[in-house]
């Protein structure tokens, strides 16, 4: 019973932190848009009339960092979470030659499934146009590749997973991963974020560090960034060929790696902390209500 109360409390704090993250991000976005409107009447982040791409990119970077930093600071101040729980330490041996291809494999398999789901649901997918080069492209690289890999791993696999870790690895991995997926507010991206979040959570538990997850997250973001760039600025045959290779090669290669690793005795569950059942996170009313709210909010935004 004590374990059950423990997971309810930890899951509740994770849910509060997730909602607070969404609130802070929305407030920062609204505040920055209002500031742009004061400086240039009619301007906003969605319609940045009169402002350069570099300025808008830096403001997006500020919003992304602030949306993570403020809730993280509050969690360190209000909960039992400590800086040691974030696991910003050198990892134990973690075999990047195995983990990186497998991670990219499950990410791209989820991308394929997400694209199919999006088509079945009739959801329109909007794509941002990348600058062709220069400082504008470098800033977008920071916004889309570097910042999420560092900040999101620090928040979800560091802070939220750190709160749930005393309840066991299963709850610690699944609870933050589901919040991570739903906070994307997009069915396509959410499916990919869920499977990636589970793998990155597993890697943080096995290696004892969030640094390998940051590297894998960054690599996946870079591949997506490259595919998006080629879609706009490379011949269609080159763009299609690269995307097809990435979407098919990594899932098939990862299956081959997992098969041979298991033949040699590898088990994903080895080395994980025992604890409560994974579904115990739903014993927290706050966590359950947050999941329902995020699901409904995602449906509302995409219809």
């Amino acid at each position: 019973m004590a374990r059950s109360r423990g997971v309810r409390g930890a899951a509740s704090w994770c849910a509060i932190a997730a909602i607070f993250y969404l609130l802070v991000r929305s407030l920062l976005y609204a505040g920055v848009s209002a500031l742009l409107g004061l400086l240039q009447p009619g301007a906003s982040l969605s319609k940045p009339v009169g402002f350069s791409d570099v300025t808008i990119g830096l403001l997006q970077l500020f919003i992304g960092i602030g949306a993570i930093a403020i809730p993280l600071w509050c969690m360190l101040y209000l909960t039992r979470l400590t800086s040691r729980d974030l696991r910003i330490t050198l990892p134990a041996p973690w075999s990047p030659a195995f983990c990186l291809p497998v991670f990219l494999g499950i990410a791209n398999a989820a991308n394929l499934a997400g694209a199919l789901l999006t088509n079945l649901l009739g959801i329109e997918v909007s794509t941002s146009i990348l600058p062709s080069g220069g400082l504008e492209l470098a800033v977008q690289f920071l916004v889309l590749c570097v910042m999420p890999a560092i900040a999101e791993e620090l928040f979800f696999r560091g802070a939220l997973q750190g709160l749930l870790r005393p309840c066991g690895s299963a709850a610690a991995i699944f609870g933050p991963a589901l919040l991570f997926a739903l906070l994307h507010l997009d069915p396509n991206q959410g499916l990919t974020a869920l499977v990636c979040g589970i793998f990155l959570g597993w890697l943080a538990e096995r290696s004892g560090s969030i640094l390998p997850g940051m590297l894998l997250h960054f690599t996946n973001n870079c591949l997506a960034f490259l595919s998006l760039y080629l879609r706009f600025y490379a011949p269609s045959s080159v763009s299609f060929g690269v995307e097809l290779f990435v979407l098919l090669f990594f899932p098939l290669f990862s299956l081959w790696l997992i098969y041979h690793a298991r033949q040699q005795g590898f088990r994903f569950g080895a080395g994980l902390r025992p604890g409560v059942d994974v579904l115990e996170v739903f014993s927290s009313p706050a966590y359950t209500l947050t999941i329902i709210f995020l699901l409904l909010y995602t449906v509302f935004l995409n219809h």
Side-chain angles (χ1 to χ4, degrees), residues 213-229:
M214 287 183 179
L215 176 61
L216 267 58
H217 196 153
F218 172 73
T219 303
N220 185 59
N221 289 353
C222 287
L223 279 177
F225 189 86
L226 174 63
S227 296
L228 184 60
Y229 185 86

Side-chain angles (χ1 to χ4, degrees), residues 26-253:
S26 300
L27 289 175
L28 288 174
Y29 188 94
V32 169
S33 289
L35 179 61
L36 293 179
L38 288 175
L39 297 175
Q40 181 71 39
S44 66
L45 277 174
S46 59
K47 295 181 180 179
V49 181
F51 294 93
S52 68
D53 290 340
V54 173
T55 300
I56 298 303
L58 291 174
L59 290 173
Q60 291 172 336
L61 193 63
F62 165 76
I63 292 171
I65 294 173
I68 294 290
I70 294 173
L72 179 59
W73 179 84
C74 291
M75 291 170 68
L76 289 169
Y77 182 75
L78 296 173
T79 73
R80 60 171 172 74
L81 186 73
T82 67
S83 57
R84 291 184 60 185
D85 295 322
L86 301 179
R87 292 197 167 183
I88 313 173
T89 58
L90 291 177
W94 59 282
S95 185
F98 171 79
C99 291
L100 180 57
V102 170
F103 174 71
L104 294 177
I106 64 173
N108 283 285
N111 285 336
L112 283 171
L116 178 61
L117 176 64
T118 300
N119 288 331
L120 289 175
L121 295 176
I123 299 173
E124 293 185 7
V125 179
S126 60
T127 304
S128 300
I129 299 178
L130 291 176
S132 59
L135 185 58
E136 294 86 353
L137 184 64
V139 171
Q140 285 302 307
F141 181 78
L142 291 174
V143 171
L144 299 175
C145 296
V146 180
M147 184 273 293
I150 297 174
E152 290 178 359
E153 292 309 303
L154 186 61
F155 186 68
F156 291 98
R157 258 62 66 184
L160 300 193
Q161 196 158 320
L163 279 175
L164 278 165
R165 187 168 293 116
C167 305
S169 292
I173 293 169
F174 175 76
L178 184 56
L179 290 170
F180 175 61
L182 292 176
L183 282 168
H184 280 73
L185 304 177
D186 179 273
N188 189 3
Q189 294 183 23
L191 180 60
T192 303
L194 177 61
V195 296
C196 288
I198 290 173
F199 187 89
L200 293 172
W202 168 82
L203 182 57
E205 292 297 298
R206 283 290 297 263
S207 69
S209 171
I210 63 172
L211 299 183
M214 287 183 179
L215 176 61
L216 267 58
H217 196 153
F218 172 73
T219 303
N220 185 59
N221 289 353
C222 287
L223 279 177
F225 189 86
L226 174 63
S227 296
L228 184 60
Y229 185 86
L230 293 177
R231 194 179 302 171
F232 290 112
Y233 301 109
S236 58
S237 58
V238 174
S239 172
F240 178 76
V242 171
E243 288 194 48
L244 187 64
F245 173 79
V246 170
L247 287 172
L248 295 181
F249 170 76
F250 284 110
L252 294 175
F253 185 48

